[in-house]
Amino acid sequence: MTYKSTRGGMSGVTAAEAIKMGIAPDGGLFVPESKVTVDLDFINELVDCSYLKRAEKILSLYLDDYAGEELADCISKAYGDKFSNSEIAPVVAINEHLHMLELWHGPTCAFKDMALQILPHFLVKAIKKTGEKAEIVILVATSGDTGKAALEGFADVEGTRIVVFYPNGGVSEMQRLQMVTQKGGNTDVIAVNGNFDDTQNGVKKIFTDEALKEKLERKGKKFSSANSINWGRLVPQIVYYFSAYADLIKKGGIKAGEKINFVVPTGNFGNILAAWYAMDMGLPVNRLICASNQNNVLTDFIINGVYNRKRDFYKTISPSMDILISSNLERLLFELNGKNSDLVSEWMRELTKKGEYRVDGRTKERIQKVFWGGYSNDDETIASIRSVYQESGYLMDTHTAVAMDVYDKYVIYSRDLTPTVIVSTASPFKFNRSVAKALFGDKIKNMSEFELLSLLSRETGWDIPAGLKDLNKKEVLHKKVCEKDGMPDAVMEILLND
Ligand SMILES: *Cc1c(COP(=O)(O)O)cnc(C)c1O
């Protein structure tokens, strides 16, 4: 399999090269050059496999420049002891029609671990395979969860350096503590005075700054990305959609070949795009339900075909979805238009220049055939956490609750009772304050983050995840703050002084 850029500037790139580069030099995203398809026999074979084996079968279809043993090595290093559940991505029934795919049993308690535990291993092998001599510098813009998951994945990984930017005041207290206490000689964490889009734009600018790149190369360093624009982040996410489907067959919830829905709490459009690739490969999918919070730019886009980022930015209780520019949508538009890079480049230019673009009617139809978009505001999200807990004893984090609320709206709208999997993207303990507020109201107002963890644990009988438990006892190791225009200087200061 080779990869090409959505903007048309590069093609014939191996997976190892695409993973090493992260983003294409023309500003586009790497996508597979040919379509991968699987049949029902392939899916049936997954049913009795472990998660690791399922990953091997699916990843080898896309990363065919990696030897079988290389992939197996990456997979076993990624999905091992650091996960608190040996199923890695278990499916839990809520009722007869509805299941949760829990993607938060990794070390940082959010779904980003599913990709970021394996990406560093892909990358180390890519560096060797491509004869790269430079040290790879991973730059990350995070709305909260990616940063910690990337730090955890890359800390002390040989041949790599990682710098994480997060919006100052734009992440939860637990997320902040997770990042600023990160150990590892190759890690840096910087707070940016701006929101997530400022932070992500800042990182994108650094990536395309030629002068800066040259300076770095003279120092023997090269940038790459661990954001979900990196194909190496996206491809491991395809695995769990197949895995969930195989688990539903195994449990007798569905027959092989029967279509199901997935509801995905969405921000940068990476997770739900992986679901689309799974469907495009042949996974029987009826609908992909794209759940947004108050930053509902995608809801409007799916309904109108107009992507308009000129709108207020809201800080919500599901901060990992507080995004107005969903980068991975570019890949979907490219795929839905017969890999037409001229069209996609034009829309992306309009987005940068005018803050909006409108897709043509045919593209809109193709999107609406598969995707349904809805959103949930903070009050609705809180109400959803409370009612689901009261009715079924299942405790959701705020992001998962956005998905649940949007699913309820979808069912009212469509009367569709197709078996459905809600993608649960974070542990409720990670967003403890909002979750506790949903259950106990203002009573918890004066409790510390750590008292809240104990309270939730007592209430649910669930253990506090190891990665969150003793955060208040850990030393704060990262204290840097910069302005949004100061991000290039902040990076250079760190890297040139290494
Ligand atoms: C990142 C994140 C999301 C959004 O995923 P995208 O791939 O960016 O759409 C949703 N929920 C949680 C908890 C996240 O960390």
Side-chain angles (χ1 to χ4, degrees), residues 381-452:
T381 305
I382 289 278
S384 182
I385 294 174
R386 188 184 309 126
S387 68
V388 169
Y389 187 65
Q390 281 168 355
E391 281 158 29
S392 67
Y394 190 86
L395 191 60
M396 302 181 292
D397 96 289
T398 47
H399 304 76
T400 309
V402 165
M404 179 63 91
D405 184 52
V406 169
Y407 174 65
D408 288 341
K409 289 171 178 160
Y410 170 73
V411 172
I412 290 168
Y413 166 87
S414 67
R415 315 246 159 224
D416 174 17
L417 291 178
T418 302
T420 296
V421 172
I422 292 190
V423 178
S424 176
T425 50
S427 157
F429 289 96
K430 192 159 188 180
F431 297 92
N432 51 3
R433 189 163 293 280
S434 303
V435 172
K437 190 178 160 206
L439 301 193
F440 307 108
D442 281 337
K443 269 202 306 247
I444 57 112
K445 216 159 65 193
N446 297 320
M447 290 172 82
S448 78
E449 300 296 325
F450 299 91
E451 287 166 336
L452 291 173

Side-chain angles (χ1 to χ4, degrees), residues 104 109-113 142-146 175 196 228 233-234 237 240 264-274 290-291 298 318-323 326-328 397-400 423-427 430-431:
W104 40 261
C109 310
F111 97 97
K112 305 292 195 291
D113 287 328
T142 186
S143 55
D145 289 333
T146 303
Q175 289 176 319
F196 173 68
S228 58
R233 268 279 303 270
L234 213 99
Q237 299 182 351
Y240 50 72
V264 188
T266 295
N268 221 0
F269 209 76
N271 201 359
I272 198 165
L273 183 70
C290 177
L298 285 167
S318 44
S320 303
M321 295 155 63
D322 288 348
I323 292 176
S326 301
S327 305
N328 270 297
D397 96 289
T398 47
H399 304 76
T400 309
V423 178
S424 176
T425 50
S427 157
K430 192 159 188 180
F431 297 92

Side-chain angles (χ1 to χ4, degrees), residues 38-45 47 242 244-246 248-250 253-261 279 282-286 418-419:
V38 299
D39 56 18
L40 271 188
D41 288 343
F42 177 94
I43 292 170
N44 271 320
E45 278 169 24
V47 173
F242 279 94
Y245 191 87
L248 284 187
I249 296 177
K250 194 169 187 168
I254 56 169
K255 288 192 201 64
E258 190 177 341
K259 286 186 175 179
I260 67 171
N261 298 327
M279 186 194 84
L283 189 70
V285 169
N286 175 51
T418 302

Side-chain angles (χ1 to χ4, degrees), residues 24-43:
D26 59 0
L29 310 187
F30 285 114
V31 287
E33 286 200 77
S34 45
K35 182 172 160 131
V36 173
T37 51
V38 299
D39 56 18
L40 271 188
D41 288 343
F42 177 94
I43 292 170

Side-chain angles (χ1 to χ4, degrees), residues 141-191:
T142 186
S143 55
D145 289 333
T146 303
K148 175 61 183 180
L151 287 163
E152 191 68 36
F154 279 98
D156 292 325
V157 169
E158 169 202 2
T160 71
R161 186 88 180 70
I162 173 162
V163 183
V164 171
F165 291 98
Y166 70 93
N168 206 358
V171 301
S172 84
E173 181 59 9
M174 294 309 272
Q175 289 176 319
R176 192 186 69 83
L177 283 174
Q178 280 185 307
M179 290 191 280
V180 297
T181 58
Q182 177 68 45
K183 290 191 178 141
N186 63 341
T187 64
D188 271 281
V189 179
I190 303 172

